[in-house]
Amino acid sequence: DIQMTQSPSSLSASVGDRVTITCRASQSISSYLNWYQQKPGKAPKLLIYAASSLQSGVPSRFSGSGSGTDFTLTISSLQPEDFATYYCQQSYSSLRTFGQGTKLEIK
Amino acid sequence: EVQLVESGGGLVQPGGSLRLSCAASGFIFSSYWMGWVRQAPGKGLEWVANIQQGGTEKFHVDSVKGRFTISRDNAKNSLYLQMNSLRAEDTAVYYCVRERYSGNYYFDSWGQGTLVTVSS
């Protein structure tokens, strides 16, 4: 199975900060990488698909990049509603896998 | 509007069985891969299983193989997860998900989740 590793596991930041979360795959997955945001008690929400495509309705401060094994999610200017947990997920393999998550907290 | 509504969760004893259902509406159900994702209390997301549009191709995570089976009924716009030989570590919220394809497969729609608790 393809293992997905996110870093950091948790992150403290302030409103207005630029934040980057990294996701690494255990083998090349081309651009078959998606990002989700989850708030407590809620279902996850798709942010980015195919490594860099912004899902409809998602603010443009979110962006994704990378290919092969290394990927990043960037939030250009943190807003109060962005404090949540973020997950990467690969769909290169029919056996989908998620990263362990990155919890973004208010500093 | 796409809607996915899960049902069938609850409390079950170790070794027991449960069948989860997901009622889909607002889209052409038979045109999409569908799947299940779970989340144990306080833990991250874990993909459980997915199934191709016609139901002939399906995949399960290793930890549930031989115990869980995903299926679908396109005439009823419904997705199912039959869970047998349940263990404490299967305790989680189970989400029904739609997989959309646009150069890549991704989970673009999620249900609200149904809680399965395995405990004596």
Side-chain angles (χ1 to χ4, degrees):
Chain A
D1 294 3
I2 299 174
Q3 309 302 317
M4 307 301 294
T5 303
Q6 289 180 233
S7 61
S9 295
S10 63
L11 176 59
S12 293
S14 301
V15 173
D17 283 354
R18 180 183 180 89
V19 165
T20 297
I21 298 169
T22 298
C23 178
R24 175 163 289 176
S26 59
Q27 66 178 74
S28 177
I29 58 170
S30 185
S31 296
Y32 289 78
L33 190 283
N34 309 309
W35 290 98
Y36 302 86
Q37 175 195 67
Q38 187 181 33
K39 296 181 179 178
K42 300 292 188 182
K45 171 188 170 184
L46 176 69
L47 297 176
I48 302 283
Y49 64 93
S52 60
S53 296
L54 193 67
Q55 171 69 347
S56 176
V58 174
S60 59
R61 63 180 179 273
F62 291 92
S63 64
S65 65
S67 66
T69 60
D70 294 316
F71 302 86
T72 59
L73 172 70
T74 299
I75 310 172
S76 60
S77 178
L78 272 174
Q79 298 301 300
E81 60 267 31
D82 300 337
F83 293 94
T85 301
Y86 293 84
Y87 295 91
C88 63
Q89 174 253 326
Q90 65 80 20
S91 58
Y92 181 85
S93 165
S94 297
L95 304 179
R96 317 300 194 206
T97 46
F98 288 91
Q100 81 280 13
T102 295
K103 187 173 184 179
L104 180 53
E105 298 175 305
I106 301 173
K107 184 182 286 185
Chain B
E1 179 195 4
V2 173
Q3 278 203 311
L4 301 171
V5 179
E6 303 94 337
S7 60
L11 175 63
V12 61
Q13 291 189 338
S17 298
L18 215 51
R19 188 196 197 204
L20 304 184
S21 299
C22 171
S25 61
F27 65 101
I28 302 172
F29 180 73
S30 59
S31 295
Y32 290 86
W33 279 76
M34 297 293 296
W36 293 95
V37 172
R38 68 182 178 182
Q39 186 169 37
K43 302 297 185 183
L45 301 172
E46 181 183 35
W47 171 81
V48 175
N50 61 1
I51 186 167
Q52 167 253 13
Q53 291 92 329
T56 54
E57 195 172 6
K58 55 185 78 172
F59 300 91
H60 300 78
V61 68
D62 283 351
S63 59
V64 309
K65 273 182 188 172
R67 301 188 300 123
F68 291 12
T69 302
I70 189 171
S71 63
R72 65 191 295 163
D73 185 336
N74 287 341
K76 294 183 177 179
N77 290 340
S78 293
L79 178 72
Y80 306 102
L81 186 66
Q82 178 66 45
M83 304 186 295
N84 299 330
S85 303
L86 282 159
R87 306 167 180 166
E89 54 265 35
D90 296 318
T91 294
V93 173
Y94 286 73
Y95 294 101
C96 171
V97 293
R98 184 179 82 167
E99 287 202 67
R100 187 182 180 100
Y101 182 80
S102 180
N104 175 28
Y105 281 101
Y106 49 92
F107 305 127
D108 74 326
S109 298
W110 297 65
Q112 84 288 351
T114 187
L115 177 61
V116 172
T117 303
V118 184
S119 174
S120 54

